Structure formats: structure tokens, C-alpha cells
Amino acid sequence: QVQLVESGGGLVQAGGSLRLSCAASGNILRIDVMGWYRQTPGKERELVATTTSGGIINYADSVKGRFTISRDNAKNTVYLQMNSLKPEDTAVYYCHADRRPLIGTKHKYWGQGTQVTVSS
């Protein structure tokens, strides 16, 4: 019902920057929370940043001051600007969205993930 497509991952040196994009398509009405999670082998998927349809933003402590999440409602797209990247930021980054229909339970959607690798 909702498709999320990430882009913008790649290889960057420590201290560099990347900008991730996630475009939502399909049944995009009543999408509330959108955000980014990341995961490395042997680790659980962790929250990076989220934003609600009302503009409330939440960041993980590890990325505060370095990452910025933003949202373009007209384009159904959420962005993650990543500055001052560190090797420990290396992970697969996943776009996430919650859709709350008027009737029925909340639905969760995930993108396919985009690899971010930060070299020393």
C-alpha cells in the first residue's frame, strides 16, 4: 500500500557529509511519523531520527548536533542530512513510516535500506 524508496547512501571519509532521501508512494494519505533507523550486523535496529506530521522531531543522542531530519509534504519525501560523519555511523539506513487509517490499526512500512560507509 505504501512504498518507501531510499537514495543517497555511499562511501564517505570521516568528517564528510551525505544527504539521504526517502520518497513515499502509493496510499500516502494519513502517514503520521516518518523517520530513519539504522542497523549493523549483530546489532538491533536503532532509531536515528523521526518527525511527525505535526513537525515534532526526535533524534538519537548519538547524532544530535550532526544530523538533521526534514520533510517535504508536497513531495511526500523525508530527508536526512548527515554532517561530521564518523566511522561508527557506518550502517544500513532504513526509511520508516507509520500510516494511521481512520478505520483499522496502524500500519508500519520500511524501505529496502541504503548503505552508508564512513572510512577512517
Side-chain angles (χ1 to χ4, degrees):
Q1 293 184 355
V2 174
Q3 295 80 46
L4 303 173
V5 179
E6 304 104 329
S7 62
L11 175 64
V12 66
Q13 292 184 342
S17 299
L18 286 173
R19 183 176 176 85
L20 305 183
S21 299
C22 173
S25 61
N27 191 2
I28 51 86
L29 294 179
R30 298 190 59 78
I31 291 178
D32 183 16
V33 178
M34 294 189 71
W36 295 91
Y37 291 69
R38 66 187 181 187
Q39 188 170 23
T40 58
K43 300 284 187 178
E44 67 179 17
R45 190 170 297 184
E46 66 172 347
L47 182 147
V48 178
T50 61
T51 180
T52 71
S53 60
I56 300 174
I57 294 174
N58 184 45
Y59 293 103
D61 289 340
S62 60
V63 307
K64 287 181 179 178
R66 299 188 298 120
F67 292 8
T68 302
I69 189 170
S70 60
R71 191 169 179 175
D72 187 336
N73 290 318
K75 297 181 179 180
N76 301 311
T77 301
V78 65
Y79 305 92
L80 186 68
Q81 179 66 46
M82 304 185 293
N83 298 326
S84 302
L85 284 163
K86 305 174 181 179
E88 50 263 44
D89 294 318
T90 296
V92 177
Y93 284 70
Y94 295 91
C95 183
H96 174 263
D98 287 342
R99 181 173 178 268
R100 299 178 178 271
L102 292 175
I103 300 175
T105 60
K106 177 177 66 177
H107 295 88
K108 299 180 179 178
Y109 301 93
W110 294 94
Q112 80 283 0
T114 184
Q115 177 70 48
V116 172
T117 302
V118 184
S119 62
S120 301

